[in-house]
């Protein structure tokens, strides 16, 4: 592993660790149904899956030679993830009376964070994978069709959804996408299936 990779691994892990701390700090309020709702619980679970997938991807790129642009793309992704988690469960989350009302206030920022992460991943994929001939065009097309396009469409739908029912549909679709991608990653990389 190169010194740049070690530095990046440390920086990303620290930032994502702060995001996990935020989520765990707010968990008691999120899982109190008098203060929360099914939509907010789904958002919290999705944020946890988001971080888990990000941490898993960190452990699978040791062979790559990263440059300064790669470094910034990864740090920006981790920063957006932290911002998303900090908005959902801020430092004063124990003082939030209703997480449902709180989510309604921050929902646009939440969905914009997903759009930002999606764009960031697309840039990283194009710059690191395609430009450096690590990923074939066929795998790249599959990645866009299965991950990027659905993620972007659901995020745009969530950003524009005004009612609680439409938000529930949007967060449920996003959770389904994350579960699908997590299951696919598990099946692809698990020693149980090899």
């Amino acid at each position: 592993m190169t010194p740049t990779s070690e530095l990046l691994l440390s920086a990303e892990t620290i930032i994502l660790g702060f995001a996990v701390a935020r989520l765990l700090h707010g968990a008691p309020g999120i899982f109190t149904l008098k203060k929360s709702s099914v939509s907010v619980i789904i958002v919290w679970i999705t944020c946890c899956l988001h971080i888990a997938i990000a941490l898993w991807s960190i452990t699978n790129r040791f062979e790559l030679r990263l440059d300064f642009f790669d470094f910034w793309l990864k740090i920006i992704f981790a920063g957006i993830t932290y911002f998303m988690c900090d908005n959902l469960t801020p430092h004063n989350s124990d003082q939030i009376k209703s997480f449902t009302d709180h989510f309604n206030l921050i929902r646009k920022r939440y969905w914009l964070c997903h759009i930002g992460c999606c764009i960031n991943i697309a840039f990283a994929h194009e710059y690191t994978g395609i430009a450096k001939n690590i990923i074939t065009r066929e795998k790249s097309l599959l990645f866009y069709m299965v991950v990027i396009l659905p993620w972007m469409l659901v995020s745009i739908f969530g950003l524009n959804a005004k009612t609680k029912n439409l938000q529930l549909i949007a967060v449920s679709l996003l959770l389904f996408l994350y579960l699908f991608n997590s299951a696919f990653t598990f099946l692809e990389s698990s020693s149980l299936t090899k």
Side-chain angles (χ1 to χ4, degrees), residues 22-50:
R22 282 286 186 234
L23 290 176
L24 293 176
H25 177 72
I30 296 284
F31 287 96
T32 303
L33 286 179
K34 291 178 184 175
K35 293 177 80 173
S36 190
S37 65
V38 174
S39 293
V40 176
I41 292 170
I42 290 172
V43 167
W44 189 89
I45 292 169
T46 304
C47 286
C48 290
L49 285 171
H50 178 85

PDB file of all heavy atoms in Angstrom, residues 22-50:
ATOM      1  N   ARG A  22     -22.445  10.202  14.834  1.00  0.00           N
ATOM      2  CA  ARG A  22     -23.649  11.035  14.774  1.00  0.00           C
ATOM      3  C   ARG A  22     -24.907  10.171  14.725  1.00  0.00           C
ATOM      4  O   ARG A  22     -25.879  10.423  15.426  1.00  0.00           O
ATOM      5  CB  ARG A  22     -23.617  11.947  13.554  1.00  0.00           C
ATOM      6  CG  ARG A  22     -22.751  13.133  13.707  1.00  0.00           C
ATOM      7  CD  ARG A  22     -23.434  14.135  14.625  1.00  0.00           C
ATOM      8  NE  ARG A  22     -22.642  15.338  14.653  1.00  0.00           N
ATOM      9  CZ  ARG A  22     -22.195  15.895  15.756  1.00  0.00           C
ATOM     10  NH1 ARG A  22     -22.463  15.363  16.919  1.00  0.00           N
ATOM     11  NH2 ARG A  22     -21.490  16.983  15.707  1.00  0.00           N
ATOM     12  N   LEU A  23     -24.879   9.154  13.862  1.00  0.00           N
ATOM     13  CA  LEU A  23     -26.049   8.282  13.733  1.00  0.00           C
ATOM     14  C   LEU A  23     -26.351   7.562  15.040  1.00  0.00           C
ATOM     15  O   LEU A  23     -27.503   7.452  15.458  1.00  0.00           O
ATOM     16  CB  LEU A  23     -25.844   7.269  12.608  1.00  0.00           C
ATOM     17  CG  LEU A  23     -25.851   7.829  11.191  1.00  0.00           C
ATOM     18  CD1 LEU A  23     -25.532   6.734  10.191  1.00  0.00           C
ATOM     19  CD2 LEU A  23     -27.191   8.478  10.861  1.00  0.00           C
ATOM     20  N   LEU A  24     -25.312   7.043  15.692  1.00  0.00           N
ATOM     21  CA  LEU A  24     -25.517   6.325  16.948  1.00  0.00           C
ATOM     22  C   LEU A  24     -25.997   7.260  18.054  1.00  0.00           C
ATOM     23  O   LEU A  24     -26.813   6.869  18.897  1.00  0.00           O
ATOM     24  CB  LEU A  24     -24.233   5.610  17.359  1.00  0.00           C
ATOM     25  CG  LEU A  24     -23.810   4.458  16.445  1.00  0.00           C
ATOM     26  CD1 LEU A  24     -22.479   3.880  16.892  1.00  0.00           C
ATOM     27  CD2 LEU A  24     -24.888   3.388  16.377  1.00  0.00           C
ATOM     28  N   HIS A  25     -25.502   8.493  18.057  1.00  0.00           N
ATOM     29  CA  HIS A  25     -25.928   9.472  19.058  1.00  0.00           C
ATOM     30  C   HIS A  25     -27.429   9.755  18.935  1.00  0.00           C
ATOM     31  O   HIS A  25     -28.125   9.926  19.936  1.00  0.00           O
ATOM     32  CB  HIS A  25     -25.126  10.766  18.894  1.00  0.00           C
ATOM     33  CG  HIS A  25     -25.552  11.854  19.824  1.00  0.00           C
ATOM     34  ND1 HIS A  25     -25.286  11.826  21.174  1.00  0.00           N
ATOM     35  CD2 HIS A  25     -26.251  13.002  19.597  1.00  0.00           C
ATOM     36  CE1 HIS A  25     -25.801  12.903  21.743  1.00  0.00           C
ATOM     37  NE2 HIS A  25     -26.376  13.637  20.796  1.00  0.00           N
ATOM     38  N   GLY A  26     -27.935   9.793  17.709  1.00  0.00           N
ATOM     39  CA  GLY A  26     -29.346  10.098  17.491  1.00  0.00           C
ATOM     40  C   GLY A  26     -30.258   8.893  17.492  1.00  0.00           C
ATOM     41  O   GLY A  26     -31.484   9.038  17.446  1.00  0.00           O
ATOM     42  N   ALA A  27     -29.700   7.682  17.566  1.00  0.00           N
ATOM     43  CA  ALA A  27     -30.511   6.466  17.484  1.00  0.00           C
ATOM     44  C   ALA A  27     -31.623   6.375  18.532  1.00  0.00           C
ATOM     45  O   ALA A  27     -32.746   5.968  18.190  1.00  0.00           O
ATOM     46  CB  ALA A  27     -29.610   5.230  17.537  1.00  0.00           C
ATOM     47  N   PRO A  28     -31.378   6.721  19.800  1.00  0.00           N
ATOM     48  CA  PRO A  28     -32.484   6.619  20.771  1.00  0.00           C
ATOM     49  C   PRO A  28     -33.709   7.439  20.370  1.00  0.00           C
ATOM     50  O   PRO A  28     -34.845   6.977  20.520  1.00  0.00           O
ATOM     51  CB  PRO A  28     -31.872   7.149  22.074  1.00  0.00           C
ATOM     52  CG  PRO A  28     -30.407   6.914  21.927  1.00  0.00           C
ATOM     53  CD  PRO A  28     -30.124   7.113  20.456  1.00  0.00           C
ATOM     54  N   GLY A  29     -33.506   8.621  19.838  1.00  0.00           N
ATOM     55  CA  GLY A  29     -34.634   9.445  19.398  1.00  0.00           C
ATOM     56  C   GLY A  29     -35.261   8.926  18.120  1.00  0.00           C
ATOM     57  O   GLY A  29     -36.482   8.960  17.957  1.00  0.00           O
ATOM     58  N   ILE A  30     -34.429   8.436  17.210  1.00  0.00           N
ATOM     59  CA  ILE A  30     -34.938   7.912  15.933  1.00  0.00           C
ATOM     60  C   ILE A  30     -35.849   6.714  16.167  1.00  0.00           C
ATOM     61  O   ILE A  30     -36.872   6.556  15.508  1.00  0.00           O
ATOM     62  CB  ILE A  30     -33.763   7.514  15.006  1.00  0.00           C
ATOM     63  CG1 ILE A  30     -32.929   8.730  14.620  1.00  0.00           C
ATOM     64  CG2 ILE A  30     -34.240   6.734  13.786  1.00  0.00           C
ATOM     65  CD1 ILE A  30     -33.530   9.636  13.592  1.00  0.00           C
ATOM     66  N   PHE A  31     -35.478   5.863  17.120  1.00  0.00           N
ATOM     67  CA  PHE A  31     -36.241   4.636  17.352  1.00  0.00           C
ATOM     68  C   PHE A  31     -37.284   4.775  18.454  1.00  0.00           C
ATOM     69  O   PHE A  31     -37.771   3.786  18.978  1.00  0.00           O
ATOM     70  CB  PHE A  31     -35.291   3.467  17.631  1.00  0.00           C
ATOM     71  CG  PHE A  31     -34.579   3.017  16.401  1.00  0.00           C
ATOM     72  CD1 PHE A  31     -33.306   3.472  16.104  1.00  0.00           C
ATOM     73  CD2 PHE A  31     -35.197   2.176  15.489  1.00  0.00           C
ATOM     74  CE1 PHE A  31     -32.655   3.074  14.948  1.00  0.00           C
ATOM     75  CE2 PHE A  31     -34.563   1.776  14.328  1.00  0.00           C
ATOM     76  CZ  PHE A  31     -33.288   2.229  14.059  1.00  0.00           C
ATOM     77  N   THR A  32     -37.650   6.008  18.805  1.00  0.00           N
ATOM     78  CA  THR A  32     -38.764   6.276  19.702  1.00  0.00           C
ATOM     79  C   THR A  32     -39.924   6.714  18.819  1.00  0.00           C
ATOM     80  O   THR A  32     -39.914   7.815  18.270  1.00  0.00           O
ATOM     81  CB  THR A  32     -38.404   7.393  20.709  1.00  0.00           C
ATOM     82  OG1 THR A  32     -37.243   6.991  21.419  1.00  0.00           O
ATOM     83  CG2 THR A  32     -39.551   7.646  21.671  1.00  0.00           C
ATOM     84  N   LEU A  33     -40.900   5.840  18.655  1.00  0.00           N
ATOM     85  CA  LEU A  33     -41.973   6.108  17.700  1.00  0.00           C
ATOM     86  C   LEU A  33     -42.777   7.363  18.024  1.00  0.00           C
ATOM     87  O   LEU A  33     -43.383   7.954  17.142  1.00  0.00           O
ATOM     88  CB  LEU A  33     -42.894   4.897  17.570  1.00  0.00           C
ATOM     89  CG  LEU A  33     -42.290   3.731  16.776  1.00  0.00           C
ATOM     90  CD1 LEU A  33     -43.255   2.562  16.727  1.00  0.00           C
ATOM     91  CD2 LEU A  33     -41.929   4.161  15.369  1.00  0.00           C
ATOM     92  N   LYS A  34     -42.782   7.799  19.291  1.00  0.00           N
ATOM     93  CA  LYS A  34     -43.483   9.041  19.617  1.00  0.00           C
ATOM     94  C   LYS A  34     -42.764  10.245  19.023  1.00  0.00           C
ATOM     95  O   LYS A  34     -43.357  11.268  18.748  1.00  0.00           O
ATOM     96  CB  LYS A  34     -43.587   9.210  21.133  1.00  0.00           C
ATOM     97  CG  LYS A  34     -44.506   8.213  21.789  1.00  0.00           C
ATOM     98  CD  LYS A  34     -44.530   8.411  23.284  1.00  0.00           C
ATOM     99  CE  LYS A  34     -45.376   7.329  23.935  1.00  0.00           C
ATOM    100  NZ  LYS A  34     -45.342   7.385  25.381  1.00  0.00           N
ATOM    101  N   LYS A  35     -41.441  10.113  18.823  1.00  0.00           N
ATOM    102  CA  LYS A  35     -40.639  11.214  18.288  1.00  0.00           C
ATOM    103  C   LYS A  35     -40.321  11.035  16.808  1.00  0.00           C
ATOM    104  O   LYS A  35     -39.798  11.930  16.180  1.00  0.00           O
ATOM    105  CB  LYS A  35     -39.306  11.310  19.045  1.00  0.00           C
ATOM    106  CG  LYS A  35     -39.428  11.722  20.485  1.00  0.00           C
ATOM    107  CD  LYS A  35     -38.088  11.710  21.164  1.00  0.00           C
ATOM    108  CE  LYS A  35     -37.317  12.947  20.829  1.00  0.00           C
ATOM    109  NZ  LYS A  35     -36.059  13.066  21.595  1.00  0.00           N
ATOM    110  N   SER A  36     -40.598   9.846  16.268  1.00  0.00           N
ATOM    111  CA  SER A  36     -40.120   9.518  14.936  1.00  0.00           C
ATOM    112  C   SER A  36     -41.232   8.909  14.092  1.00  0.00           C
ATOM    113  O   SER A  36     -42.387   8.859  14.502  1.00  0.00           O
ATOM    114  CB  SER A  36     -38.935   8.541  15.074  1.00  0.00           C
ATOM    115  OG  SER A  36     -38.296   8.369  13.848  1.00  0.00           O
ATOM    116  N   SER A  37     -40.855   8.432  12.906  1.00  0.00           N
ATOM    117  CA  SER A  37     -41.800   7.766  12.008  1.00  0.00           C
ATOM    118  C   SER A  37     -41.067   6.673  11.239  1.00  0.00           C
ATOM    119  O   SER A  37     -39.841   6.585  11.287  1.00  0.00           O
ATOM    120  CB  SER A  37     -42.405   8.782  11.028  1.00  0.00           C
ATOM    121  OG  SER A  37     -41.386   9.290  10.178  1.00  0.00           O
ATOM    122  N   VAL A  38     -41.813   5.885  10.524  1.00  0.00           N
ATOM    123  CA  VAL A  38     -41.222   4.808   9.729  1.00  0.00           C
ATOM    124  C   VAL A  38     -40.260   5.385   8.690  1.00  0.00           C
ATOM    125  O   VAL A  38     -39.179   4.846   8.466  1.00  0.00           O
ATOM    126  CB  VAL A  38     -42.329   3.954   9.056  1.00  0.00           C
ATOM    127  CG1 VAL A  38     -41.740   2.931   8.114  1.00  0.00           C
ATOM    128  CG2 VAL A  38     -43.184   3.275  10.113  1.00  0.00           C
ATOM    129  N   SER A  39     -40.630   6.501   8.082  1.00  0.00           N
ATOM    130  CA  SER A  39     -39.756   7.126   7.071  1.00  0.00           C
ATOM    131  C   SER A  39     -38.401   7.498   7.660  1.00  0.00           C
ATOM    132  O   SER A  39     -37.363   7.251   7.046  1.00  0.00           O
ATOM    133  CB  SER A  39     -40.405   8.385   6.495  1.00  0.00           C
ATOM    134  OG  SER A  39     -41.537   8.076   5.750  1.00  0.00           O
ATOM    135  N   VAL A  40     -38.396   8.087   8.837  1.00  0.00           N
ATOM    136  CA  VAL A  40     -37.146   8.514   9.460  1.00  0.00           C
ATOM    137  C   VAL A  40     -36.299   7.308   9.860  1.00  0.00           C
ATOM    138  O   VAL A  40     -35.078   7.319   9.699  1.00  0.00           O
ATOM    139  CB  VAL A  40     -37.438   9.436  10.671  1.00  0.00           C
ATOM    140  CG1 VAL A  40     -36.159   9.816  11.387  1.00  0.00           C
ATOM    141  CG2 VAL A  40     -38.177  10.685  10.208  1.00  0.00           C
ATOM    142  N   ILE A  41     -36.946   6.258  10.335  1.00  0.00           N
ATOM    143  CA  ILE A  41     -36.213   5.031  10.673  1.00  0.00           C
ATOM    144  C   ILE A  41     -35.571   4.442   9.421  1.00  0.00           C
ATOM    145  O   ILE A  41     -34.412   4.017   9.440  1.00  0.00           O
ATOM    146  CB  ILE A  41     -37.142   4.014  11.372  1.00  0.00           C
ATOM    147  CG1 ILE A  41     -37.543   4.542  12.754  1.00  0.00           C
ATOM    148  CG2 ILE A  41     -36.490   2.639  11.470  1.00  0.00           C
ATOM    149  CD1 ILE A  41     -38.631   3.752  13.450  1.00  0.00           C
ATOM    150  N   ILE A  42     -36.299   4.443   8.309  1.00  0.00           N
ATOM    151  CA  ILE A  42     -35.748   3.947   7.043  1.00  0.00           C
ATOM    152  C   ILE A  42     -34.563   4.804   6.607  1.00  0.00           C
ATOM    153  O   ILE A  42     -33.545   4.280   6.145  1.00  0.00           O
ATOM    154  CB  ILE A  42     -36.844   3.901   5.950  1.00  0.00           C
ATOM    155  CG1 ILE A  42     -37.853   2.796   6.266  1.00  0.00           C
ATOM    156  CG2 ILE A  42     -36.235   3.701   4.567  1.00  0.00           C
ATOM    157  CD1 ILE A  42     -39.076   2.783   5.372  1.00  0.00           C
ATOM    158  N   VAL A  43     -34.673   6.124   6.761  1.00  0.00           N
ATOM    159  CA  VAL A  43     -33.567   7.018   6.405  1.00  0.00           C
ATOM    160  C   VAL A  43     -32.334   6.699   7.255  1.00  0.00           C
ATOM    161  O   VAL A  43     -31.216   6.624   6.745  1.00  0.00           O
ATOM    162  CB  VAL A  43     -33.985   8.501   6.560  1.00  0.00           C
ATOM    163  CG1 VAL A  43     -32.783   9.421   6.500  1.00  0.00           C
ATOM    164  CG2 VAL A  43     -34.990   8.871   5.486  1.00  0.00           C
ATOM    165  N   TRP A  44     -32.530   6.484   8.547  1.00  0.00           N
ATOM    166  CA  TRP A  44     -31.418   6.159   9.454  1.00  0.00           C
ATOM    167  C   TRP A  44     -30.740   4.850   9.031  1.00  0.00           C
ATOM    168  O   TRP A  44     -29.513   4.780   8.946  1.00  0.00           O
ATOM    169  CB  TRP A  44     -31.933   6.067  10.893  1.00  0.00           C
ATOM    170  CG  TRP A  44     -30.855   5.941  11.915  1.00  0.00           C
ATOM    171  CD1 TRP A  44     -30.199   6.960  12.545  1.00  0.00           C
ATOM    172  CD2 TRP A  44     -30.304   4.728  12.435  1.00  0.00           C
ATOM    173  NE1 TRP A  44     -29.277   6.451  13.431  1.00  0.00           N
ATOM    174  CE2 TRP A  44     -29.315   5.087  13.376  1.00  0.00           C
ATOM    175  CE3 TRP A  44     -30.535   3.384  12.203  1.00  0.00           C
ATOM    176  CZ2 TRP A  44     -28.573   4.145  14.089  1.00  0.00           C
ATOM    177  CZ3 TRP A  44     -29.805   2.430  12.897  1.00  0.00           C
ATOM    178  CH2 TRP A  44     -28.835   2.822  13.826  1.00  0.00           C
ATOM    179  N   ILE A  45     -31.539   3.833   8.733  1.00  0.00           N
ATOM    180  CA  ILE A  45     -30.992   2.539   8.300  1.00  0.00           C
ATOM    181  C   ILE A  45     -30.242   2.702   6.979  1.00  0.00           C
ATOM    182  O   ILE A  45     -29.159   2.141   6.788  1.00  0.00           O
ATOM    183  CB  ILE A  45     -32.117   1.483   8.185  1.00  0.00           C
ATOM    184  CG1 ILE A  45     -32.660   1.151   9.586  1.00  0.00           C
ATOM    185  CG2 ILE A  45     -31.627   0.225   7.481  1.00  0.00           C
ATOM    186  CD1 ILE A  45     -33.941   0.329   9.583  1.00  0.00           C
ATOM    187  N   THR A  46     -30.795   3.486   6.060  1.00  0.00           N
ATOM    188  CA  THR A  46     -30.140   3.728   4.775  1.00  0.00           C
ATOM    189  C   THR A  46     -28.808   4.432   4.962  1.00  0.00           C
ATOM    190  O   THR A  46     -27.817   4.099   4.293  1.00  0.00           O
ATOM    191  CB  THR A  46     -31.066   4.528   3.839  1.00  0.00           C
ATOM    192  OG1 THR A  46     -32.300   3.824   3.685  1.00  0.00           O
ATOM    193  CG2 THR A  46     -30.430   4.723   2.482  1.00  0.00           C
ATOM    194  N   CYS A  47     -28.759   5.400   5.876  1.00  0.00           N
ATOM    195  CA  CYS A  47     -27.478   6.076   6.163  1.00  0.00           C
ATOM    196  C   CYS A  47     -26.445   5.074   6.697  1.00  0.00           C
ATOM    197  O   CYS A  47     -25.274   5.138   6.324  1.00  0.00           O
ATOM    198  CB  CYS A  47     -27.687   7.213   7.158  1.00  0.00           C
ATOM    199  SG  CYS A  47     -28.486   8.666   6.470  1.00  0.00           S
ATOM    200  N   CYS A  48     -26.878   4.167   7.552  1.00  0.00           N
ATOM    201  CA  CYS A  48     -25.960   3.136   8.068  1.00  0.00           C
ATOM    202  C   CYS A  48     -25.452   2.241   6.938  1.00  0.00           C
ATOM    203  O   CYS A  48     -24.254   1.933   6.874  1.00  0.00           O
ATOM    204  CB  CYS A  48     -26.650   2.294   9.139  1.00  0.00           C
ATOM    205  SG  CYS A  48     -26.962   3.180  10.670  1.00  0.00           S
ATOM    206  N   LEU A  49     -26.340   1.832   6.040  1.00  0.00           N
ATOM    207  CA  LEU A  49     -25.921   1.021   4.889  1.00  0.00           C
ATOM    208  C   LEU A  49     -24.982   1.803   3.979  1.00  0.00           C
ATOM    209  O   LEU A  49     -24.016   1.249   3.447  1.00  0.00           O
ATOM    210  CB  LEU A  49     -27.139   0.537   4.100  1.00  0.00           C
ATOM    211  CG  LEU A  49     -27.940  -0.600   4.714  1.00  0.00           C
ATOM    212  CD1 LEU A  49     -29.228  -0.822   3.925  1.00  0.00           C
ATOM    213  CD2 LEU A  49     -27.120  -1.874   4.763  1.00  0.00           C
ATOM    214  N   HIS A  50     -25.274   3.074   3.796  1.00  0.00           N
ATOM    215  CA  HIS A  50     -24.429   3.942   2.970  1.00  0.00           C
ATOM    216  C   HIS A  50     -22.994   3.950   3.515  1.00  0.00           C
ATOM    217  O   HIS A  50     -22.032   3.781   2.759  1.00  0.00           O
ATOM    218  CB  HIS A  50     -25.029   5.355   2.965  1.00  0.00           C
ATOM    219  CG  HIS A  50     -24.242   6.357   2.209  1.00  0.00           C
ATOM    220  ND1 HIS A  50     -24.367   6.527   0.841  1.00  0.00           N
ATOM    221  CD2 HIS A  50     -23.308   7.261   2.611  1.00  0.00           C
ATOM    222  CE1 HIS A  50     -23.554   7.490   0.444  1.00  0.00           C
ATOM    223  NE2 HIS A  50     -22.894   7.950   1.501  1.00  0.00           N
TER     224      HIS A  50
END
